[in-house]
Amino acid sequence: RYIIRAYFPEASKMEIVCKDHKPHSMVQLEGTDIFEGHLTKKESYRLRAHFSSGATFEFEDAYLFSPTLSNEDLYLFNQGNHHRIYEKLGAHAITHEGVMGYAFAVWAPNARRVSVVGDFNQWDGRRHPMRLLDKSGIWELFIPNLNPGQKYKFELYDANHQIQLKADPYANCGEFEG
């Protein structure tokens, strides 16, 4: 039995849609914007959000995808011998497990939580919290179906319980306020 959870505050109802296209209802956890559903076996799925306006939005769940950094990447990074780490850290357009999207990774060893925030999730750090990979201090997440040029930053919840927005130190371009 597999538990699928999704945070989607604007949704009035959520479903899990498997390859057979049969929707499985998700239950909204009391007092939260978190929805939970169950699958009997591990399989590919999409999430469908329903809104009070009658509109729906179907999307790939970022947490269905495995990490984009390999054990070898982490081993070399931890040794200080990863000579192409710039190809792994930051944001990179890739096809991962057959789906186009962006691989995000950042080194933040003292952070309590790191999220990817941007135009695509209303700058809400609760939408795309990243995974901490082993003891490397690297946080990672693949987000499917993002478009090139979308603005983003990393939201860090630091050791002092403060939230900070940080620009990507490996970004190829940036935006400056002036």
Side-chain angles (χ1 to χ4, degrees), residues 127-144:
R127 293 276 184 94
H128 290 104
M130 300 172 80
R131 296 181 275 239
L132 178 60
L133 299 179
D134 200 32
K135 297 177 184 173
S136 65
I138 295 177
W139 298 77
E140 178 276 345
L141 188 64
F142 174 76
I143 302 178

mmCIF file of all heavy atoms in Angstrom, residues 127-144:
data_model
loop_
_atom_site.group_PDB
_atom_site.id
_atom_site.type_symbol
_atom_site.label_atom_id
_atom_site.label_comp_id
_atom_site.label_asym_id
_atom_site.label_seq_id
_atom_site.Cartn_x
_atom_site.Cartn_y
_atom_site.Cartn_z
ATOM 1 N N ARG A 127 5.200 24.108 -1.288
ATOM 2 C CA ARG A 127 4.818 23.357 -2.486
ATOM 3 C C ARG A 127 5.878 22.385 -2.978
ATOM 4 O O ARG A 127 5.552 21.301 -3.419
ATOM 5 C CB ARG A 127 4.498 24.315 -3.626
ATOM 6 C CG ARG A 127 3.286 25.158 -3.420
ATOM 7 C CD ARG A 127 2.032 24.384 -3.828
ATOM 8 N NE ARG A 127 0.871 25.195 -3.732
ATOM 9 C CZ ARG A 127 0.348 25.884 -4.732
ATOM 10 N NH1 ARG A 127 0.902 25.838 -5.917
ATOM 11 N NH2 ARG A 127 -0.721 26.602 -4.545
ATOM 12 N N HIS A 128 7.153 22.781 -2.944
ATOM 13 C CA HIS A 128 8.212 21.931 -3.489
ATOM 14 C C HIS A 128 9.407 21.826 -2.542
ATOM 15 O O HIS A 128 10.515 22.244 -2.881
ATOM 16 C CB HIS A 128 8.670 22.443 -4.862
ATOM 17 C CG HIS A 128 7.642 22.244 -5.926
ATOM 18 N ND1 HIS A 128 6.870 23.276 -6.408
ATOM 19 C CD2 HIS A 128 7.258 21.137 -6.595
ATOM 20 C CE1 HIS A 128 6.045 22.795 -7.334
ATOM 21 N NE2 HIS A 128 6.265 21.505 -7.467
ATOM 22 N N PRO A 129 9.191 21.260 -1.345
ATOM 23 C CA PRO A 129 10.346 21.020 -0.478
ATOM 24 C C PRO A 129 11.280 19.994 -1.117
ATOM 25 O O PRO A 129 10.829 19.026 -1.727
ATOM 26 C CB PRO A 129 9.754 20.509 0.826
ATOM 27 C CG PRO A 129 8.344 20.167 0.542
ATOM 28 C CD PRO A 129 7.945 20.837 -0.736
ATOM 29 N N MET A 130 12.566 20.245 -0.990
ATOM 30 C CA MET A 130 13.568 19.388 -1.625
ATOM 31 C C MET A 130 13.964 18.258 -0.683
ATOM 32 O O MET A 130 13.702 18.308 0.521
ATOM 33 C CB MET A 130 14.780 20.230 -2.009
ATOM 34 C CG MET A 130 14.425 21.349 -2.990
ATOM 35 S SD MET A 130 15.783 22.491 -3.291
ATOM 36 C CE MET A 130 16.735 21.543 -4.476
ATOM 37 N N ARG A 131 14.610 17.231 -1.256
ATOM 38 C CA ARG A 131 15.101 16.084 -0.485
ATOM 39 C C ARG A 131 16.562 16.302 -0.128
ATOM 40 O O ARG A 131 17.366 16.690 -0.985
ATOM 41 C CB ARG A 131 15.024 14.810 -1.315
ATOM 42 C CG ARG A 131 13.635 14.405 -1.701
ATOM 43 C CD ARG A 131 13.693 13.125 -2.505
ATOM 44 N NE ARG A 131 13.950 13.431 -3.904
ATOM 45 C CZ ARG A 131 13.149 13.095 -4.900
ATOM 46 N NH1 ARG A 131 12.060 12.409 -4.673
ATOM 47 N NH2 ARG A 131 13.436 13.401 -6.134
ATOM 48 N N LEU A 132 16.910 16.015 1.120
ATOM 49 C CA LEU A 132 18.308 16.043 1.539
ATOM 50 C C LEU A 132 18.919 14.701 1.154
ATOM 51 O O LEU A 132 18.414 13.646 1.535
ATOM 52 C CB LEU A 132 18.421 16.265 3.048
ATOM 53 C CG LEU A 132 19.824 16.259 3.635
ATOM 54 C CD1 LEU A 132 20.691 17.351 3.021
ATOM 55 C CD2 LEU A 132 19.746 16.418 5.150
ATOM 56 N N LEU A 133 20.000 14.742 0.385
ATOM 57 C CA LEU A 133 20.630 13.516 -0.097
ATOM 58 C C LEU A 133 21.737 13.084 0.862
ATOM 59 O O LEU A 133 22.799 13.708 0.925
ATOM 60 C CB LEU A 133 21.187 13.706 -1.505
ATOM 61 C CG LEU A 133 20.142 14.056 -2.571
ATOM 62 C CD1 LEU A 133 20.811 14.253 -3.919
ATOM 63 C CD2 LEU A 133 19.063 12.992 -2.652
ATOM 64 N N ASP A 134 21.447 12.058 1.608
ATOM 65 C CA ASP A 134 22.399 11.456 2.532
ATOM 66 C C ASP A 134 22.968 12.523 3.449
ATOM 67 O O ASP A 134 22.238 13.383 3.932
ATOM 68 C CB ASP A 134 23.475 10.710 1.731
ATOM 69 C CG ASP A 134 24.216 9.676 2.555
ATOM 70 O OD1 ASP A 134 23.603 9.086 3.466
ATOM 71 O OD2 ASP A 134 25.400 9.459 2.278
ATOM 72 N N LYS A 135 24.247 12.482 3.724
ATOM 73 C CA LYS A 135 24.887 13.463 4.607
ATOM 74 C C LYS A 135 25.726 14.453 3.821
ATOM 75 O O LYS A 135 26.609 15.105 4.361
ATOM 76 C CB LYS A 135 25.747 12.736 5.641
ATOM 77 C CG LYS A 135 24.923 11.858 6.547
ATOM 78 C CD LYS A 135 25.782 11.091 7.520
ATOM 79 C CE LYS A 135 24.880 10.171 8.327
ATOM 80 N NZ LYS A 135 25.625 9.291 9.175
ATOM 81 N N SER A 136 25.436 14.593 2.540
ATOM 82 C CA SER A 136 26.223 15.455 1.655
ATOM 83 C C SER A 136 25.941 16.933 1.856
ATOM 84 O O SER A 136 26.740 17.774 1.466
ATOM 85 C CB SER A 136 25.941 15.099 0.197
ATOM 86 O OG SER A 136 24.583 15.400 -0.120
ATOM 87 N N GLY A 137 24.781 17.270 2.412
ATOM 88 C CA GLY A 137 24.358 18.662 2.496
ATOM 89 C C GLY A 137 23.714 19.152 1.217
ATOM 90 O O GLY A 137 23.335 20.318 1.104
ATOM 91 N N ILE A 138 23.582 18.254 0.224
ATOM 92 C CA ILE A 138 22.936 18.615 -1.045
ATOM 93 C C ILE A 138 21.441 18.303 -0.953
ATOM 94 O O ILE A 138 21.045 17.207 -0.555
ATOM 95 C CB ILE A 138 23.555 17.855 -2.235
ATOM 96 C CG1 ILE A 138 25.016 18.268 -2.433
ATOM 97 C CG2 ILE A 138 22.752 18.107 -3.512
ATOM 98 C CD1 ILE A 138 25.729 17.508 -3.535
ATOM 99 N N TRP A 139 20.654 19.300 -1.331
ATOM 100 C CA TRP A 139 19.203 19.158 -1.417
ATOM 101 C C TRP A 139 18.845 19.096 -2.898
ATOM 102 O O TRP A 139 19.414 19.830 -3.715
ATOM 103 C CB TRP A 139 18.525 20.357 -0.765
ATOM 104 C CG TRP A 139 18.828 20.488 0.693
ATOM 105 C CD1 TRP A 139 19.980 20.957 1.256
ATOM 106 C CD2 TRP A 139 17.976 20.141 1.775
ATOM 107 N NE1 TRP A 139 19.885 20.933 2.625
ATOM 108 C CE2 TRP A 139 18.662 20.433 2.979
ATOM 109 C CE3 TRP A 139 16.683 19.619 1.863
ATOM 110 C CZ2 TRP A 139 18.112 20.220 4.227
ATOM 111 C CZ3 TRP A 139 16.137 19.416 3.117
ATOM 112 C CH2 TRP A 139 16.842 19.709 4.282
ATOM 113 N N GLU A 140 17.888 18.232 -3.254
ATOM 114 C CA GLU A 140 17.610 17.950 -4.670
ATOM 115 C C GLU A 140 16.128 17.739 -4.894
ATOM 116 O O GLU A 140 15.424 17.223 -4.026
ATOM 117 C CB GLU A 140 18.397 16.696 -5.060
ATOM 118 C CG GLU A 140 18.205 16.219 -6.471
ATOM 119 C CD GLU A 140 16.989 15.337 -6.693
ATOM 120 O OE1 GLU A 140 16.397 14.827 -5.718
ATOM 121 O OE2 GLU A 140 16.611 15.161 -7.858
ATOM 122 N N LEU A 141 15.652 18.131 -6.086
ATOM 123 C CA LEU A 141 14.289 17.816 -6.503
ATOM 124 C C LEU A 141 14.178 18.014 -8.011
ATOM 125 O O LEU A 141 14.669 19.004 -8.556
ATOM 126 C CB LEU A 141 13.263 18.720 -5.801
ATOM 127 C CG LEU A 141 11.791 18.354 -6.031
ATOM 128 C CD1 LEU A 141 11.466 16.983 -5.437
ATOM 129 C CD2 LEU A 141 10.878 19.410 -5.442
ATOM 130 N N PHE A 142 13.536 17.067 -8.681
ATOM 131 C CA PHE A 142 13.190 17.186 -10.093
ATOM 132 C C PHE A 142 11.749 17.648 -10.163
ATOM 133 O O PHE A 142 10.860 17.028 -9.573
ATOM 134 C CB PHE A 142 13.347 15.837 -10.802
ATOM 135 C CG PHE A 142 12.863 15.850 -12.218
ATOM 136 C CD1 PHE A 142 13.603 16.443 -13.223
ATOM 137 C CD2 PHE A 142 11.648 15.270 -12.555
ATOM 138 C CE1 PHE A 142 13.158 16.467 -14.538
ATOM 139 C CE2 PHE A 142 11.186 15.276 -13.867
ATOM 140 C CZ PHE A 142 11.950 15.871 -14.858
ATOM 141 N N ILE A 143 11.513 18.754 -10.869
ATOM 142 C CA ILE A 143 10.143 19.251 -11.046
ATOM 143 C C ILE A 143 9.797 19.128 -12.524
ATOM 144 O O ILE A 143 10.425 19.776 -13.373
ATOM 145 C CB ILE A 143 9.989 20.706 -10.567
ATOM 146 C CG1 ILE A 143 10.399 20.809 -9.083
ATOM 147 C CG2 ILE A 143 8.552 21.176 -10.767
ATOM 148 C CD1 ILE A 143 10.323 22.217 -8.525
ATOM 149 N N PRO A 144 8.821 18.283 -12.839
ATOM 150 C CA PRO A 144 8.467 18.056 -14.245
ATOM 151 C C PRO A 144 7.706 19.216 -14.864
ATOM 152 O O PRO A 144 7.039 19.989 -14.178
ATOM 153 C CB PRO A 144 7.588 16.805 -14.172
ATOM 154 C CG PRO A 144 7.022 16.809 -12.797
ATOM 155 C CD PRO A 144 8.034 17.475 -11.919
#
